[in-house]
Amino acid sequence: MGAYLAYLSSSRGLVFDDYRGLWRWSVAEPEAFWASIWDHFGVSGTYARVLGSAEMPGAQWFPGARLNYAAHMLGTEEDTDRTAIIARSQTRGPQELTFGELRDQVARARAGLVRLGVGHRVRPVVQADDVAHGRQPRTDRRQLVALVDLLVAVPVRGDGEQH
């Protein structure tokens, strides 16, 4: 909370003496408040408006916003050597993966999927619970290719509905 209050002071010239003052501002100026939250936390994405409809219930926040989930999950250049994942097992000690190693593995997986023809809005799935432990996933390559082919033929929206 302190970092956010300091951000509001330095970037927007807003100073609040206490939580109650911040809360009053957030209620009186919800668009300014949520835009500041977006900016303070460095959300990687774009939006045209903060609030499409203020009707409650059913307000529309950041309508049409486009986010890059992967960009948030893979860290920044400053995070390269920080731990991103700690894999735990009942049969071996914890294994750590840095953000740099994670970005490298994601880039290699993406390149492979692109070679298979997977494009935007296609969400391939594979059961890979053993991959972090160095064993092969239970799905073999033929099954994965068939699954990717199916997903290319029937892409799904983020809301889970087929289109």
Side-chain angles (χ1 to χ4, degrees):
M1 179 81 102
Y4 176 62
L5 290 172
Y7 165 80
L8 288 175
S9 176
S10 66
S11 69
R12 298 175 190 241
L14 298 171
V15 177
F16 301 100
D17 294 327
D18 56 19
Y19 173 80
R20 190 176 217 47
L22 174 62
W23 175 80
R24 278 195 293 269
W25 173 70
S26 74
V27 172
E29 302 287 336
E31 290 184 68
F33 171 74
W34 286 106
S36 74
I37 292 290
W38 180 291
D39 295 339
H40 172 67
F41 287 102
V43 176
S44 177
T46 59
Y47 65 91
R49 297 181 312 192
V50 173
L51 189 57
S53 168
E55 185 176 326
M56 294 288 188
Q60 296 175 340
W61 297 101
F62 298 99
R66 296 194 44 95
L67 301 175
N68 186 333
Y69 179 76
H72 288 279
M73 299 312 298
L74 298 177
T76 64
E77 286 303 314
E78 294 85 35
D79 297 325
T80 297
D81 295 323
R82 286 186 44 229
T83 300
I85 295 174
I86 300 173
R88 299 199 182 269
S89 167
Q90 294 177 352
T91 59
R92 58 175 65 168
Q95 294 180 312
E96 294 188 3
L97 192 66
T98 66
F99 279 101
E101 293 165 333
L102 178 61
R103 278 194 298 273
D104 179 60
Q105 288 187 15
V106 168
R108 287 186 283 133
R110 180 190 182 280
L113 291 170
V114 167
R115 278 193 303 276
L116 291 171
V118 175
H120 182 66
R121 293 180 118 10
V122 176
R123 290 157 179 89
V125 178
V126 60
Q127 180 179 345
D129 55 339
D130 292 332
V131 172
H133 304 291
R135 295 188 297 270
Q136 292 298 313
R138 293 184 186 141
T139 305
D140 70 24
R141 188 182 187 299
R142 288 183 311 262
Q143 290 170 315
L144 178 57
V145 170
L147 178 60
V148 168
D149 288 345
L150 174 65
L151 290 168
V152 169
V154 186
V156 294
R157 285 190 244 151
D159 58 11
E161 296 178 10
Q162 292 184 354
H163 65 95

